[in-house]
Amino acid sequence: MSPKPRPRADDDALVGRRRRQLTLAAIACFSARGYHSTTIRDVAERAEVSVGLVYQYVEDKEDLLFMALQEVLDAYRRRIPAALEGLSDPLERFHACVRSYCEVNDEASDATVLAYRETKSLRPDRREIIKRLELETNAMIDACIRDCIAAGVFTAVDIEMFTHQLVMFCHGWALKAWRLRERMTVADYVARGLRLMLEPVLAPPAPTASERPRRRSSAR
Amino acid sequence: MSPKPRPRADDDALVGRRRRQLTLAAIACFSARGYHSTTIRDVAERAEVSVGLVYQYVEDKEDLLFMALQEVLDAYRRRIPAALEGLSDPLERFHACVRSYCEVNDEASDATVLAYRETKSLRPDRREIIKRLELETNAMIDACIRDCIAAGVFTAVDIEMFTHQLVMFCHGWALKAWRLRERMTVADYVARGLRLMLEPVLAPPAPTASERPRRRSSAR
Amino acid sequence: MSPKPRPRADDDALVGRRRRQLTLAAIACFSARGYHSTTIRDVAERAEVSVGLVYQYVEDKEDLLFMALQEVLDAYRRRIPAALEGLSDPLERFHACVRSYCEVNDEASDATVLAYRETKSLRPDRREIIKRLELETNAMIDACIRDCIAAGVFTAVDIEMFTHQLVMFCHGWALKAWRLRERMTVADYVARGLRLMLEPVLAPPAPTASERPRRRSSAR
Amino acid sequence: MSPKPRPRADDDALVGRRRRQLTLAAIACFSARGYHSTTIRDVAERAEVSVGLVYQYVEDKEDLLFMALQEVLDAYRRRIPAALEGLSDPLERFHACVRSYCEVNDEASDATVLAYRETKSLRPDRREIIKRLELETNAMIDACIRDCIAAGVFTAVDIEMFTHQLVMFCHGWALKAWRLRERMTVADYVARGLRLMLEPVLAPPAPTASERPRRRSSAR
DNA sequence: CATGAATGAGGATTCATTCAT
DNA sequence: CATGAATGAATCCTCATTCAT
């Protein structure tokens, strides 16, 4: 009845195990060499299985990419809530949210880059699913912001924009890792980034009195 | 004697014209279908020349990618200074800088995405060149910020971080075009983004009660 | 880790069988049409396999040529000793040696010509190997000559030169087959050639008496 | 009327000059890199003309090969008679003939090898012409031999075979140049070779006992 | 006459995918 | 279930040949 009686492999736990095994191998390969430059054989070897085996658990190569991207995006969704666990202060939660997002991007920066590089290589329908997953991650940041505003910690900022800014900031660590890694640690990155985004950039009108000395945003 | 005096074409002007023609065709094709999925024939057809012709002006396919990326990055470097032309007020120049960078990314968002997607497909030495070009663009933003600080318009912010933040913001328009385009225009994007980045996010120490002052934005 | 563990085939016997199959097909094709004019598809078709299969057992086209030439040269090394088997009389062995060398060149004259035509098409290192194989064949002739000299059947001839002469003679049958085949059989060729090389060419000083009539070496 | 009004180039002396120029360039290129590996561009560059020019004096690439081979073979036919000029003693003429043939093969060993390698690359009809040219060269040796026999200097040898043997010997210098050049000079080669071919190889019937006379060199 | 830019057919090679064992 | 040998479509690139200037 199933339209594609993929040769073998029934619903056992085996299917899940194999697919996971292949997904991880795929992420590793795709991250390192890129999707197109990676051959099925590469993935099979990394997963320590035969080529034929791959096709018993995977539709085709694109399927492997889909699984890889899903896994990557999903990792975000699992990590962030975990980091917020137990925290109740809105600002603390906000910080934790950003920090953990950056940390995930630090640990798997190749994977984040992969998502940027290869999402377009997916069929439209699958691409949509991946995008939806990203939005779900965004929603978590969004929520933290709303909480801060509600608590009066944040002014009534442009939430949509702020979320976007934060996402770009977090991804930025992975996307510009080639440049940033040699200049700071993720911790620094988060600290300096948040300070910049939260503290005023514009100098006070400074019409009357004139004090501007106070404040050291200490670059570096 | 030189084994490959490839550019089998002496005429100077022609070489320039052809390479440009091919570069544009390459940008179009690569942006649309991605580098690997684009065939030389695709590019040739788009440029309305024969396959063979391509190889008279281009070393190989990767060369075409290199030319495309150079062209894209170069467009930024040309556009921004042009936008600053005639402006002297530091803040105005800053705004113009960000605005024009976003506009370029708007007009050629595919190209920006292309740069993100395919820089890794280049040979290391060429990849370096591309990265250098990006840094040069960053330097223009960097300069605008410094001017604002010097003029007392900006507080003594973390310049490096702020530049990074702005770059991510500008690229963000292209990278998230799929989501943003349907929600706002570039002009809105710039306006809302700048407001967010320049105006204070943190609420004032709370007029009424007072305790939650001294916020430590320290992450970690 | 090894970038190209090409011979994508583990099974030992199969690898051997396939390589032999391809080698024979290659010899046939290259002999008939020449190396450059033969396409991989030609070889694949002759071997009744697919193009892709070829590359599972062969590095590249040149590899196929190398295998072909090795096989050809090796056939000499196998055939000559076999022909000497059981013979002990030096002169008889000498005859047998030349005869069998010519016979191999007769049966596979295309292959011999192939060796002459295409050895230069090999990479230097492989070319060396082929040359070494030829020298090994020469050594067998060399040995026969030495035995004849030691046995007093031959005068103390210039061994090096004689070997060379004999090799050229044997190859000559293949190289000039287009002309010789229609005028004689290999057997004739060997008989007439050896007579010429062994019997005196120069007429006796003929000072005293004068007889020169006797003898008809019967050309034709 | 002419079936192929080759674009331009009328019968002037120019045609002759150009064709010669191209022929020499072709010989140089083909000898060095082989026929198939040489591009028309290579030949054009060596001849210091444009690619287009080539096609005004030459039908196609094969035509170039034909011209080259003709020229090579023709050089033999010109050199040998020149070497015999003024000599009247049959044996001296014979020696001069062989010597000059070897010398030509020494000076242009690449060209000789070329003839062996690429004659098969010609269309059948042209191949015939080349073969005829070779036979004409052979005829000159043949004549020398006949003269020697007639003069009683040679025994009534197998002329056809002897000619063949001599031809192979002379070509042998070029064909085995890779091995011989490092061991002797052409002069040595000729001297040692002729001694071997002219002086008896078989030992005299053995002074003491007598039985091994009547050796039958009959092969087979 | 000469040039060299343009063409496009052809060939080597790769790799996703299948299927017999 | 797992394997890996076999397939062949697809793609990059070369180069003989043409033709407008």
Side-chain angles (χ1 to χ4, degrees):
Chain A
M1 252 307 155
S2 59
K4 296 218 172 185
R6 196 82 36 61
R8 313 287 162 65
D10 294 325
D11 245 63
D12 309 325
L14 179 59
V15 175
R17 186 162 60 78
R18 288 298 197 195
R19 284 181 68 89
R20 176 152 195 82
Q21 178 184 17
L22 291 172
T23 301
L24 296 181
I27 292 176
C29 292
F30 294 164
S31 294
R33 261 155 303 184
Y35 172 62
H36 287 96
S37 305
T38 297
T39 69
I40 292 288
R41 186 171 302 274
D42 289 334
V43 177
E45 269 165 21
R46 184 137 209 155
E48 301 192 82
V49 298
S50 66
V51 222
L53 200 273
V54 175
Y55 282 88
Q56 247 149 27
Y57 298 94
V58 156
E59 190 91 25
D60 55 17
K61 195 184 174 188
E62 204 227 70
D63 202 22
L64 223 34
L65 174 61
F66 181 54
M67 284 158 55
L69 292 180
Q70 266 186 311
E71 171 59 30
V72 169
L73 276 276
D74 218 60
Y76 300 153
R77 274 201 329 201
R78 287 196 304 267
R79 284 287 294 268
I80 296 180
L84 300 186
E85 194 83 8
L87 299 180
S88 55
D89 179 66
L91 190 54
E92 241 179 285
R93 287 175 60 88
F94 174 80
H95 273 103
C97 178
V98 174
R99 190 183 325 120
S100 69
Y101 201 175
C102 285
E103 280 166 5
V104 182
N105 282 325
D106 179 51
E107 288 160 31
S109 66
D110 283 344
T112 300
V113 175
L114 177 65
Y116 270 90
R117 290 188 67 185
E118 306 292 5
T119 300
K120 262 197 164 180
S121 301
L122 291 174
R123 287 169 0 211
D125 59 322
R126 290 178 155 174
R127 186 154 55 213
E128 283 320 309
I129 296 175
I130 294 299
K131 285 176 180 170
R132 185 150 42 246
L133 281 177
E134 178 175 337
L135 294 184
E136 286 179 34
T137 304
N138 292 1
M140 294 188 286
I141 297 178
D142 190 278
C144 286
I145 297 173
R146 286 177 196 282
D147 288 348
C148 284
I149 295 175
V153 190
F154 284 174
T155 57
V157 290
D158 182 339
I159 301 178
E160 181 180 51
M161 212 60 200
F162 198 23
T163 301
H164 171 69
Q165 185 186 196
L166 285 164
V167 169
M168 290 316 300
F169 171 74
C170 295
H171 288 174
W173 176 253
L175 293 174
K176 304 298 182 193
W178 55 274
R179 175 133 222 279
L180 300 173
R181 276 248 172 78
E182 60 187 18
R183 315 175 78 84
M184 60 188 92
T185 64
V186 217
D188 293 337
Y189 182 73
V190 176
R192 289 170 59 180
L194 284 178
R195 191 177 313 133
L196 181 71
M197 290 187 280
L198 299 183
E199 288 184 6
V201 166
L202 285 178
T208 2
S210 59
E211 279 208 7
R212 193 174 292 132
R214 193 192 30 125
R215 277 181 272 82
R216 297 289 335 278
S217 67
S218 75
R220 218 168 215 272
Chain B
M1 251 308 154
S2 61
K4 300 219 171 183
R6 226 10 135 340
R8 260 149 192 168
D10 284 351
D11 186 353
D12 243 12
L14 179 59
V15 173
R17 186 160 62 78
R18 286 299 196 197
R19 284 182 68 90
R20 176 153 196 82
Q21 179 184 16
L22 292 172
T23 301
L24 297 181
I27 292 176
C29 293
F30 294 162
S31 294
R33 260 155 302 183
Y35 173 62
H36 287 96
S37 305
T38 297
T39 69
I40 290 288
R41 186 169 302 277
D42 290 335
V43 178
E45 267 163 24
R46 184 141 211 150
E48 296 187 316
V49 297
S50 66
V51 215
L53 197 274
V54 175
Y55 285 91
Q56 225 140 36
Y57 297 94
V58 155
E59 191 88 24
D60 54 17
K61 197 184 172 189
E62 205 229 67
D63 203 23
L64 222 35
L65 175 59
F66 182 53
M67 284 159 55
L69 292 180
Q70 265 185 313
E71 172 58 29
V72 169
L73 277 276
D74 219 60
Y76 300 154
R77 274 201 329 198
R78 286 196 306 267
R79 283 288 294 270
I80 297 181
L84 301 186
E85 195 81 9
L87 300 179
S88 55
D89 180 65
L91 191 54
E92 237 179 286
R93 288 174 59 89
F94 174 81
H95 272 99
C97 178
V98 174
R99 191 183 323 118
S100 68
Y101 201 175
C102 285
E103 280 165 6
V104 182
N105 282 326
D106 179 51
E107 289 159 31
S109 66
D110 282 344
T112 299
V113 175
L114 177 66
Y116 269 90
R117 290 188 67 186
E118 307 292 5
T119 300
K120 261 197 166 179
S121 302
L122 290 175
R123 286 169 3 210
D125 59 321
R126 291 179 155 176
R127 187 156 53 212
E128 282 321 306
I129 295 175
I130 294 300
K131 285 176 180 171
R132 187 151 40 245
L133 282 177
E134 177 175 338
L135 293 184
E136 286 179 35
T137 304
N138 292 0
M140 295 188 287
I141 297 179
D142 189 279
C144 286
I145 297 174
R146 286 177 196 281
D147 288 349
C148 284
I149 295 175
V153 188
F154 284 176
T155 58
V157 290
D158 183 338
I159 302 178
E160 183 181 51
M161 213 60 200
F162 198 23
T163 300
H164 170 69
Q165 184 186 195
L166 286 163
V167 169
M168 291 316 299
F169 171 73
C170 296
H171 289 172
W173 176 253
L175 293 173
K176 305 298 183 193
W178 55 273
R179 175 133 224 280
L180 300 172
R181 274 249 174 75
E182 59 189 16
R183 315 175 80 84
M184 59 188 94
T185 64
V186 216
D188 293 337
Y189 182 73
V190 176
R192 290 170 59 182
L194 284 179
R195 188 176 318 130
L196 182 70
M197 288 187 281
L198 300 183
E199 288 181 8
V201 165
L202 288 178
T208 1
S210 61
E211 261 323 301
R212 182 185 287 127
R214 263 314 102 86
R215 296 161 251 77
R216 289 165 308 97
S217 65
S218 70
R220 221 172 215 274
Chain C
M1 253 306 154
S2 60
K4 301 220 168 181
R6 224 10 133 342
R8 260 149 192 168
D10 285 351
D11 185 353
D12 242 13
L14 180 58
V15 173
R17 186 161 61 78
R18 286 298 195 197
R19 286 181 67 91
R20 175 152 197 83
Q21 178 184 16
L22 291 172
T23 301
L24 296 181
I27 292 176
C29 292
F30 294 163
S31 294
R33 261 156 302 183
Y35 173 63
H36 287 96
S37 306
T38 297
T39 70
I40 290 289
R41 186 168 301 277
D42 289 336
V43 177
E45 268 164 21
R46 184 142 210 149
E48 296 186 314
V49 298
S50 66
V51 217
L53 195 277
V54 175
Y55 284 90
Q56 225 140 34
Y57 298 94
V58 156
E59 190 87 25
D60 54 18
K61 197 184 172 188
E62 205 228 67
D63 203 23
L64 222 36
L65 175 59
F66 182 53
M67 284 159 55
L69 292 181
Q70 266 186 313
E71 171 59 30
V72 168
L73 276 276
D74 220 60
Y76 300 154
R77 274 202 329 198
R78 287 195 306 268
R79 285 287 295 270
I80 297 180
L84 300 187
E85 194 83 9
L87 300 181
S88 56
D89 180 65
L91 188 55
E92 239 180 285
R93 286 174 61 89
F94 174 81
H95 273 103
C97 178
V98 174
R99 192 185 321 121
S100 69
Y101 201 175
C102 285
E103 280 165 6
V104 181
N105 283 325
D106 178 51
E107 287 160 32
S109 66
D110 282 345
T112 300
V113 175
L114 177 65
Y116 269 90
R117 289 189 67 185
E118 307 292 5
T119 300
K120 262 196 164 179
S121 301
L122 290 174
R123 288 170 1 211
D125 58 322
R126 290 178 155 177
R127 187 156 53 214
E128 282 321 307
I129 295 175
I130 294 300
K131 285 176 179 170
R132 187 151 40 247
L133 282 176
E134 178 176 337
L135 293 184
E136 286 178 34
T137 304
N138 292 0
M140 294 189 285
I141 297 179
D142 189 278
C144 287
I145 296 175
R146 284 177 198 282
D147 288 348
C148 284
I149 295 177
V153 189
F154 284 175
T155 57
V157 290
D158 183 338
I159 301 179
E160 181 180 51
M161 213 60 202
F162 197 24
T163 301
H164 171 69
Q165 186 186 195
L166 285 163
V167 169
M168 291 316 300
F169 171 74
C170 296
H171 289 172
W173 176 253
L175 292 173
K176 304 299 182 192
W178 55 272
R179 175 134 223 278
L180 300 172
R181 274 248 173 78
E182 59 189 15
R183 316 175 78 81
M184 60 187 93
T185 64
V186 216
D188 292 337
Y189 182 72
V190 175
R192 290 170 57 182
L194 284 179
R195 191 176 313 134
L196 181 69
M197 289 187 280
L198 299 182
E199 288 184 5
V201 165
L202 285 179
T208 2
S210 59
E211 279 211 5
R212 193 174 292 131
R214 189 191 32 124
R215 280 180 268 81
R216 297 291 334 277
S217 67
S218 75
R220 215 168 219 273
Chain D
M1 252 307 156
S2 59
K4 295 219 173 182
R6 197 82 36 60
R8 313 288 161 64
D10 295 326
D11 246 65
D12 310 326
L14 179 59
V15 175
R17 188 160 61 78
R18 287 299 196 196
R19 285 180 68 89
R20 175 152 195 82
Q21 180 184 15
L22 291 172
T23 301
L24 296 181
I27 292 176
C29 292
F30 294 163
S31 294
R33 262 156 301 184
Y35 173 63
H36 288 95
S37 304
T38 297
T39 69
I40 291 288
R41 187 171 300 275
D42 289 335
V43 177
E45 268 165 22
R46 183 138 209 155
E48 301 193 81
V49 298
S50 66
V51 221
L53 200 271
V54 175
Y55 282 88
Q56 249 150 25
Y57 297 94
V58 155
E59 192 91 25
D60 55 17
K61 195 185 174 187
E62 204 228 70
D63 202 21
L64 223 35
L65 175 60
F66 181 53
M67 284 158 56
L69 292 180
Q70 267 186 310
E71 171 59 30
V72 169
L73 277 275
D74 219 60
Y76 299 154
R77 273 201 329 197
R78 287 197 304 269
R79 282 288 293 271
I80 297 179
L84 301 186
E85 194 83 9
L87 299 180
S88 56
D89 179 66
L91 190 54
E92 237 179 286
R93 287 175 61 90
F94 174 79
H95 271 100
C97 178
V98 173
R99 190 182 324 119
S100 68
Y101 200 176
C102 284
E103 279 165 5
V104 182
N105 282 326
D106 179 51
E107 288 160 32
S109 66
D110 282 345
T112 300
V113 175
L114 177 66
Y116 269 90
R117 289 189 66 185
E118 306 292 4
T119 300
K120 261 197 164 179
S121 301
L122 291 174
R123 287 167 3 210
D125 58 324
R126 290 178 156 176
R127 187 155 54 211
E128 283 320 309
I129 296 175
I130 293 300
K131 286 176 178 170
R132 186 150 41 246
L133 282 177
E134 178 174 338
L135 294 184
E136 287 178 32
T137 304
N138 292 1
M140 294 189 287
I141 297 178
D142 190 278
C144 286
I145 296 174
R146 286 179 197 282
D147 288 348
C148 283
I149 295 176
V153 188
F154 284 175
T155 58
V157 291
D158 184 337
I159 300 178
E160 181 181 50
M161 213 60 199
F162 197 23
T163 301
H164 171 69
Q165 184 185 196
L166 285 164
V167 169
M168 290 316 299
F169 172 74
C170 295
H171 288 172
W173 176 252
L175 292 173
K176 304 299 183 194
W178 55 274
R179 176 132 222 280
L180 299 173
R181 274 248 172 78
E182 59 188 18
R183 314 175 79 84
M184 60 188 93
T185 65
V186 217
D188 292 337
Y189 182 73
V190 176
R192 290 170 60 182
L194 285 179
R195 189 175 317 130
L196 183 70
M197 289 187 281
L198 300 183
E199 289 181 7
V201 166
L202 287 178
T208 359
S210 60
E211 261 321 301
R212 179 187 287 125
R214 265 312 106 85
R215 295 163 250 75
R216 289 162 311 94
S217 63
S218 70
R220 222 172 219 276

